[in-house]
Amino acid sequence: MREEMVVASSLSVTFEQHKVLDGVSFKVGEGEVFALLGGNGAGKSTALKSFLGTVTPSGGSASVMGLSVASQIDVIRQKVAYLPESVMLYGHLTGVENIEYFLSLAGITSAKDKIESALKRVALQQDAWYRSLSNYSKGMRQKTAIALALLREAPVLFLDEPTSGLDPSAIDEFNQLITTLASEGSTIFMVSHDVYGACQIAHRIGLLDKGKIVGMFEREGDNPIDTEAVHASFSKRNG
Amino acid sequence: MISFSDLKREAAFLSKQRYVVFFLLVALALSIFSVWSGVAETRAQIDTIERLLEKDAIDREDALSKQSDYGSAAYYSFHLTYSEPSPMAFAAMGQRDIYPWKHRVRMLAIEGQIYETDADNPELSFLGRFDFAFLISVLLPLFVILLLHDLRSSEREAGRFDLLIVTAKEEKQLWLSRALTMSLALALVLLIPFLIGVLVTGASATEIGLMLLVVLGHLGLWTIITLFIGNPKRSSSQSSARIASRLLAVWLLFTVLIPVGSDTVINELVESPSGGEIVLTQREAVNDAWDVPFSETWRAFLATHPEWESKTSMNSQFEWKWYYAFQQVGDQKAAELSHGYREATQQKDTVASIVALFSPPMLTQRLMSSIAGTNISSSLAYEQRVRDYHASLRSFYYPLLFNDGEFSHQALSGMPIFGESQANEAESSD
Ligand SMILES: Nc1ncnc2c1ncn2[C@@H]1O[C@H](COP(=O)(O)OP(=O)(O)O)[C@@H](O)[C@H]1O
Ligand SMILES: [Mg+2]
C-alpha cells in the first residue's frame, strides 16, 4: 500500500503579491478520505488546483502518486479525476453526451450501460439522462460531473466542494458513495467548508486558514471525527 | 500526434453546436454563390466570343464582297480579337473586369484601337468583385477568426477550462484537434463548390492542385495566426472580445491597409502615361499626316520598312499605301508612350508582388489570379497578341498594296485569322 498518494510540502502560491497558500504541508495515503476545511477565500481551491497543474506554486512542491506536478503533470492527469467547484458542462449536449465527450477526451470509451449505471449510482433522475444539459439544475450538473469522475476509474479523486448544490438526501447518498470508493482503495482529496459533512466521511481533516494549515483532526477507529471539536476550532477563526 | 479518433470526436462535437453549423452553412452558401457567379460570368464571356466570332466572319465576308481594291478591303473589314477565359478563370476573375478582353480591330493604327476602351489608367484592384478568390483571400481569414479566436477563451469564460485540460490526455492535443476539425470543416464547405466548379469547366489537374495548395496554405496560415494570438500563455486573462479585436486589427492591416495603402503609394510613385494619352498621341499623329508632305511620311515609314523603298512613288493625292503608311507612322509615334505604359504597368505589378509578401491575403489573391490566367501579365500578353495579330495583318496587306497587282477576292482568302498561328508571321514583319 502506498502511503503518499497526495503530498504537499511547504507549498506556497502567490497571486499578484498576495500569498494565498503559505507553506502548506500534508500527506494523503491510499484509500484515505482527506478533507481540507476552511472558510471562503482560505485557499482551499487553490491548494486542490496545485495538484492538477492549473495553478503554479511559487514555492514548495506538490506530487501525486509519487509524480511531481511540476514535471509530470500529463501523467498525473491520466490518473486523477476532478470535480470542479462550480460544474460547467456543455449545454448543447445531453448528460450522457457530456460524459461520453469528456471520457473520450481522456481516451476512454465507455459503454452506454456503464454510463447509465454510473448515473444511477449518483441518483440522477432517469428522465434527465438524455435531455439537454441546459435544463439541468446545479445539483443535477453536480451529479453528472460526479458520475463522470467515477467513470474515469481514477486511483485519486480531487473533489472541490462536492456536496454544494446537492439536497440533503443526495448528500447522504454521496457520502455513502465516497465511503464505498475509499474502501475499494480510491484516494480522495476533497475541499469543503461544510464542517458537518466533512466530519461524516473524512478520515482526516486539515483546517486551512489564510493559506496556512492551522489544525489536523484524525478519525479514531470507526467513529466520525468530532464535529464539535472541529467546529470550535473552525469558528474561532471564521467567527 | 492528433489521431483520427480525436478528429472524429471533435467533428461529432462540432456538428452539435448549432451556431457553428449555421456559420458553416453561411460559408457554404457564399462559396456556392461565388463559384456560380464566376462560372456564369466566364460562360457568358465564352458565349459572347462565340457569337461575335460567327458575326465577325459574316460581317467581314459581307464587307469584302463589296470591295474592288485592297485598300478599301482592309479599311472596311474588322477582325475580332479576344482572350478566352481559362477553365480556372471563374475562381479568380481578377483583372478580367478591368482590362478589356475583346477588341474589333482594323488595319488602321493599332495603339489607339487597343486603348480606346481603356481611357482610365487601370489600378491594381484588390477589394474587387465577389469571386472565389475574394472569398478565400479576404473573407476566409474572417471565418477563421470567428470560429477559432475564442477556442480557449470561450471555455475559460464558460468555466469549463480546468475540467477540460485536466481530463484531456494532452492539453495541446485537445486544442489542436478542435482547431484542425474546424479548419477542415471550413475547408470542406469552401472547397466543395469550387471542386464542382472545376468539374464543370474542366480545369487541369495541375491548376486544381495549385489552387488547393494556395487555399489550404492561406487557411493554415490564419489558423496558426489565430491560435497564436489566442494562446493561453499570452492571454490567460484576456477575454474573447479582446482576442477578437486584436485579430481583426491584424486582418485589417493585411487585408485593407497594406493592399490599399501600397496601391496608392505605387500609383503615386510609378509614373505612367494613361491609355487616353496614347490614344490621343496616335490620333493626332494620324490626323496631322494629311497635312504633312508625303516625303516626311515616307521617310518615317521606310525607317522601319526599308523593303518598300522602291515602291513609294505616287500617281495621285490619295493612295491607300500612303494612307496605311501614315497609320503605321501614327503607331510609331505612340510607340514610346505605349511602351512606357506597359513598362509602368509591369513595374507596378512587380512592386505589388513584393508588397504581397507582407500581406498573405494579397499574395493569395495574386497567386490565384496567376493560376487562373487572369492577372495583369495575362492581360498584357493578350494585348501583345492583338499587336502581333495586327502586325500579321500588315504583313499580309503590304505586298498587296505596294505591289499594285490586280485585285482579286482569291488573294484575300489567305488573310490571317486571330488565334491561328499569327505569331510566326508577326515575327517576320514587325
Ligand atoms: N486566479 C487567481 N488570481 C488571483 N487571485 C486568485 C485567483 N484564484 C484565487 N484567488 C484568490 O486567492 C484566494 C483564495 O482563493 P480560493 O483558493 O479559491 O479560496 P477557497 O476555495 O478557499 O474559497 C482568494 O482571495 C481569491 O480571491
Ligand atoms: Mg473554493
Side-chain angles (χ1 to χ4, degrees), chain A residues 39-46 49 85 160-161 191 193:
Chain A
N40 278 334
K44 305 182 297 291
S45 297
T46 304
K49 287 177 183 176
E85 180 168 5
D160 196 340
E161 313 269 3
V191 144
H193 63 262

Side-chain angles (χ1 to χ4, degrees), chain B residues 20-71:
Chain B
V20 173
V21 172
F22 173 77
F23 183 80
L24 289 173
L25 286 177
V26 170
L28 177 68
L30 287 173
S31 178
I32 290 174
F33 176 74
S34 72
V35 168
W36 172 80
S37 70
V39 170
E41 173 73 21
T42 51
R43 278 261 166 111
Q45 290 185 0
I46 291 169
D47 286 349
T48 304
I49 290 168
E50 257 169 39
R51 193 165 37 77
L52 289 180
L53 266 179
E54 247 170 66
K55 196 168 165 305
D56 183 61
I58 294 168
D59 287 355
R60 197 165 45 246
E61 266 322 293
D62 190 43
L64 288 174
S65 69
K66 293 178 192 146
Q67 311 309 324
S68 53
D69 62 82
Y70 293 120

